Amino acid sequence: MEDIQTASTPKNITVCNSREEGSLKVAELIANEIKAKQEKGENIVLGLATGNTPKDVYKELIRMHKEEGLSFKNVISFNLDEYHPLAPEHHLSYHRFMDEQLFNHVDINRENINIPTGICKVDDVEEHCNSYEAKIESLGGIDLQLLGIGRNGHIGFNEPGSEANSKTRKIELHEVTRGDASNEFEGLEHVPLHAITMGVETITKAKKIVLMAFGKGKAEIMKQAISEPMNSKVPASYLQTHRSIDYILDKEAATLLSQTH
Ligand code: F6R
């Protein structure tokens, strides 16, 4: 695998030849973290994302499980977000996504899977969010957080306006986010108005973060996320000062970076 690294590219930004290469690289990184913890007899707490971006990562992890014996028995997972309201059985829920894209195909213990609920009563949302935070804390925090990025700079569903100290909470989805989901939902009117998401702080507290961005549709927001001063208009910009973040991009998503570095 050949990474395109120019003298001006910061070390923690890897520009891969393709989405496939980037995904293999991320899958390998995750597998190595899982195995390192297994060797110590420890669990690993993974923060997981949905959307198109991580699909090939999950595919490769499944291949590693089936062909190379990679076990997920020591994995405790926390997903970033879920639409609200949306039943877990709904074909577009992130519960379904995770089952279909990863969990149904590996040996993870079902009781180790955590995803914000999309069916919580409005009055119970706050308590649900607080206990999601508390559970992450009680397990020692997230060891490795996988992220995609929205075209509006969201991470998880931390939409523009989300502050650095935000925690798991219910959020109103931004028009860009709902617009991007409207095809899948077969019409904007069917896209949920809200979601439950881990906060920016919940994410930045992770010990390691890997943010992936593929395709030219992510070029402009990657430029802003990496090079603009940190601000709540681009929540992903709050990752800039994280002590261990790797940005994995394909060439298309990186097209505007050379102009800024
Ligand atoms: C999904 C999530 C979102 C996506 C982002 C990019 O769990 O947290 O922030 O990562 O919307 O979506 P894709 O990968 O479909 O471009």
Side-chain angles (χ1 to χ4, degrees), residues 118-131:
I119 50 170
C120 204
K121 289 203 202 88
V122 175
D123 286 350
D124 297 337
V125 166
E126 199 177 328
E127 197 191 319
H128 173 66
C129 294
N130 292 344
S131 61

Side-chain angles (χ1 to χ4, degrees), residues 133 158 165-169 197-202 205:
E133 283 283 329
N158 289 285
N165 63 357
S166 54
K167 308 242 175 23
T168 302
R169 68 206 186 286
T197 182
M198 281 186 197
V200 175
E201 188 180 297
T202 327
K205 270 166 65 183

Side-chain angles (χ1 to χ4, degrees), residues 43-50 58 72-82 88 93-117 128 131-132 135-136 139 198:
N43 286 332
I44 180 163
V45 182
L46 291 183
L48 298 178
T50 57
Y58 296 148
F72 288 73
K73 286 273 183 228
N74 69 327
V75 172
I76 302 174
S77 69
F78 286 86
N79 263 81
L80 285 162
D81 42 22
E82 178 58 285
S93 80
Y94 288 166
H95 283 72
R96 268 285 279 277
F97 176 100
M98 288 309 300
D99 277 350
E100 287 169 4
Q101 300 292 326
L102 182 65
F103 297 148
N104 285 349
H105 311 283
V106 296
D107 62 345
I108 190 167
N109 290 324
R110 282 266 143 197
E111 62 270 26
N112 286 346
I113 296 171
N114 300 278
I115 306 178
T117 180
H128 173 66
S131 61
Y132 203 73
K135 193 165 181 191
I136 295 173
L139 291 162
M198 281 186 197

Side-chain angles (χ1 to χ4, degrees), residues 129-200:
C129 294
N130 292 344
S131 61
Y132 203 73
E133 283 283 329
K135 193 165 181 191
I136 295 173
E137 288 278 316
S138 73
L139 291 162
I142 292 170
D143 293 304
L144 175 61
Q145 176 67 55
L146 195 59
L147 292 177
I149 182 170
R151 288 190 305 120
N152 60 3
H154 73 208
I155 45 173
F157 275 139
N158 289 285
E159 301 287 31
S162 298
E163 298 292 345
N165 63 357
S166 54
K167 308 242 175 23
T168 302
R169 68 206 186 286
K170 184 174 164 184
I171 191 158
E172 189 178 333
L173 293 174
H174 189 260
E175 56 188 325
V176 169
T177 303
R178 294 189 67 243
D180 282 349
S182 63
N183 269 351
E184 276 193 306
F185 277 90
E186 295 176 3
L188 189 60
E189 68 276 21
H190 301 129
V191 182
L193 290 169
H194 295 92
I196 292 180
T197 182
M198 281 186 197
V200 175

